[in-house]
Amino acid sequence: MTETATREEVHDLAKATLDGLLQFVDSEVLPLEEKFRDVLADERKLFRDDGRLVDEVAEARLSVRKKSAAAGFYAMFAPEEIGGGGLPALANVLILEALYRKYGPGRLFIGWSNAFLGSPVVASFIDGPSRMFMGVTDAVRNDVLPGLLAGEKTVCFGLTEPNAGSDVWGLQTKAVRDGDEWVINGTKQWITNAPYADHAAIFAVTNPELAAEHKGGISCFLVDAVSPGYSADTVLPIMGHVASDCGMITLDDVRVSSDRLLGELDQGFQIGMLGISEGRLMIAGGCVGMSEWALDRSLEYV
Ligand SMILES: Cc1cc2nc3c(=O)[nH]c(=O)nc-3n(C[C@H](O)[C@H](O)[C@H](O)COP(=O)(O)OP(=O)(O)OC[C@H]3O[C@@H](n4cnc5c(N)ncnc54)[C@H](O)[C@@H]3O)c2cc1C
């Protein structure tokens, strides 16, 4: 859809998309919830000892992702230039609001659940194709994007570190050039989907002088989770739950080819903000929807 679409046109498009999306959830996803009702109700059955989802639930989430992708919903907010549906920001907010208003929180196969932020129905920058992939190299476009768009593979967003949260310029992960490769060392923390991701967008300092002046110097690399020296073994429990989809990533002399750069060298801060801005919109839409869901339930009760 063009950037010049009127507000009414976007509302109409969101409504038409939503009708199909809600039908998809009702027919393809709710039966899975029913099938796994016992497991979903008990975190001791839902998570393995290492904090990851038990295999049958992880596979069911994968099947939802693939079906949603095939039906045209999973990558609907990703830009058309990379093979997504190209729905504009306003549609993104309207659709997320309506999705969460209908289904509410705690739905592991639909969206934000007890301990999971990622949705297998709708991709976002924390797990799937997003605006962050605009202007990628041919290598990423050919090797990585098809799997992400099809819902077969996922990515995670590796920015936060033990000593760098709100203060992104305090990143300590470093990437040093060695011929056609970069060598990355550092630790990432609170990374959603890290325990499951096939690839990680890792933010690292490539020019310490620029980074110290807050003028750039951070780059974003797409690292494969199977790379030697890459480890995402630690799953973080969150308050009130035995696990979550957040994890830690350690990078110990991880080598990545220079054609796995996302965006321009030293301009990774902007790539990160592209992802976070999209995420803020989706979270805002979903939170409004969940508030409405809670209000609807309250009104029903009284
Ligand atoms: C469930 C969950 C999922 C997450 N997923 C991801 C992910 O996928 N990828 C990723 O990279 N990160 C992720 N994060 C990390 C998240 O982005 C950070 O938690 C966030 O950036 C805040 O950083 P911090 O937790 O280190 O808090 P801090 O930066 O230490 O902030 C702590 C408090 O201090 C305040 N504060 C900080 N700096 C200042 C200042 N200069 N002046 C005044 N007050 C200040 C803050 O507002 C806050 O209240 C996730 C976090 C959570 C909890």
Side-chain angles (χ1 to χ4, degrees):
M1 171 165 244
T2 66
E3 297 292 326
T4 54
T6 65
R7 216 178 153 77
E8 287 70 30
E9 283 169 339
V10 178
H11 271 264
D12 289 346
L13 179 68
K15 167 106 185 46
T17 308
L18 190 62
D19 289 345
L21 179 66
L22 300 183
Q23 269 176 31
F24 170 80
V25 173
D26 286 347
S27 63
E28 298 290 342
V29 187
L30 298 192
L32 270 181
E33 273 194 346
E34 195 48 39
K35 179 176 171 192
F36 289 102
R37 177 197 283 263
D38 285 351
V39 182
L40 293 171
D42 184 348
E43 290 195 353
R44 287 167 302 179
K45 295 181 186 164
L46 184 59
F47 294 109
R48 305 187 321 209
D49 288 348
D50 68 0
R52 286 170 169 76
L53 285 172
V54 292
D55 290 348
E56 60 267 35
V57 175
E59 279 158 24
R61 273 173 61 93
L62 169 65
S63 80
V64 171
R65 264 203 329 267
K66 290 201 288 193
K67 282 183 184 167
S68 180
F73 298 119
Y74 183 65
M76 62 186 164
F77 301 130
E80 283 174 320
E81 292 90 319
I82 64 163
L87 287 187
L90 176 58
N92 185 329
V93 174
L94 294 171
I95 290 171
L96 267 283
E97 178 188 348
L99 184 71
Y100 283 96
R101 180 172 195 162
K102 175 156 186 198
Y103 299 107
R107 314 293 289 263
L108 189 72
F109 291 129
I110 301 174
W112 304 328
S113 68
N114 305 345
F116 272 60
L117 285 176
S119 160
V121 173
V122 187
S124 72
F125 81 110
I126 53 165
D127 52 18
S130 71
R131 298 187 78 78
M132 286 174 58
F133 287 84
M134 301 259 289
V136 285
T137 59
D138 286 345
V140 174
R141 184 177 288 276
N142 297 330
D143 300 345
V144 178
L145 266 176
L148 296 183
L149 289 162
E152 284 160 5
K153 303 276 166 126
T154 60
V155 64
C156 64
F157 178 83
L159 179 65
T160 302
E161 301 180 359
N163 293 312
S166 311
D167 178 20
V168 173
W169 293 109
L171 285 193
Q172 292 173 353
T173 295
K174 290 197 171 43
V176 176
R177 190 158 201 151
D178 182 19
D180 274 350
E181 293 182 325
W182 290 83
V183 183
I184 309 181
N185 281 285
T187 303
K188 298 291 174 179
Q189 180 172 275
W190 285 118
I191 309 304
T192 305
N193 197 42
Y196 304 96
D198 303 279
H199 315 281
I202 295 292
F203 294 83
V205 174
T206 39
N207 184 324
E209 289 77 27
L210 282 180
E213 292 174 23
H214 299 189
K215 288 182 177 165
I218 292 173
S219 303
C220 181
F221 299 93
L222 198 66
V223 179
D224 290 339
V226 292
S227 306
Y230 179 103
S231 163
D233 289 339
T234 307
V235 178
L236 298 170
I238 56 172
M239 199 161 71
H241 300 284
V242 301
S244 77
D245 62 352
C246 288
M248 300 196 58
I249 299 173
T250 52
L251 303 120
D252 185 9
D253 280 341
V254 173
R255 290 187 164 266
V256 56
S257 167
S258 52
D259 61 12
R260 287 300 187 96
L261 201 58
L262 282 192
E264 301 292 318
L265 181 66
D266 291 333
Q267 303 303 317
F269 184 85
Q270 282 83 341
I271 298 290
M273 292 308 125
L274 271 183
I276 287 172
S277 304
E278 177 190 294
R280 282 181 182 138
L281 271 182
M282 294 182 84
I283 290 171
C287 286
V288 172
M290 279 199 273
S291 306
E292 290 166 338
W293 174 88
L295 183 60
D296 292 343
R297 300 292 80 76
S298 307
L299 290 174
E300 275 170 20
Y301 182 74
V302 296

